[in-house]
């Protein structure tokens, strides 16, 4: 499953939103990836996510595979788009 989302945090994907995102991702059983331009990151790795350098207004694709994939895309998409 995939979902395209846009970064709405004013400072982009910096430490605070990335921390919230990783904490939520770790609670999920599915394998989750964030795809940005030509790079893919493990959604459960803070360092991997921060290396993507995602800024406000940029879009990414969230990919999830596993028993709670739909929940993963909904939950993490909302965090990414700052709709918590």
């Amino acid at each position: 499953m995939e979902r395209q989302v846009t970064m709405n945090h004013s400072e982009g994907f910096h430490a605070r939103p990335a921390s919230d995102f990783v904490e939520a991702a770790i609670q999920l059983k599915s394998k989750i990836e964030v795809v940005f331009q030509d790079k893919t990151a493990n959604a459960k790795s803070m360092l991997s996510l921060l290396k993507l350098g995602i800024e406000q207004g940029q879009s990414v694709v969230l990919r999830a595979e596993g028993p709670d994939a739909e929940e993963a895309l909904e939950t993490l998409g909302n965090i990414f788009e700052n709709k918590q």
Side-chain angles (χ1 to χ4, degrees):
M1 298 182 78
E2 292 186 352
R3 176 179 174 188
Q4 184 168 344
V5 294
T6 301
M7 171 52 60
N8 288 326
H9 291 274
S10 61
E11 295 179 21
F13 208 45
H14 60 89
R16 178 66 183 166
S19 175
D20 292 343
F21 188 90
V22 170
E23 284 181 30
I26 288 171
Q27 302 302 314
L28 299 159
K29 296 176 183 170
S30 294
K31 175 184 177 186
I32 309 158
E33 296 177 328
V34 177
V35 182
F36 177 62
Q37 297 173 347
D38 62 344
K39 299 175 254 178
T40 301
N42 178 346
K44 299 178 182 184
S45 167
M46 174 83 98
L47 184 58
S48 179
L49 291 170
L50 291 175
K51 284 183 176 182
L52 294 177
I54 303 164
E55 297 179 5
Q56 182 182 25
Q58 294 180 315
S59 294
V60 303
V61 173
L62 300 179
R63 286 188 188 147
E65 182 180 322
D68 53 4
E70 190 172 335
E71 176 188 355
L73 294 180
E74 179 69 22
T75 300
L76 298 177
N78 288 343
I79 292 171
F80 199 87
E81 293 180 327
N82 198 23
K83 294 181 181 175
Q84 297 181 6

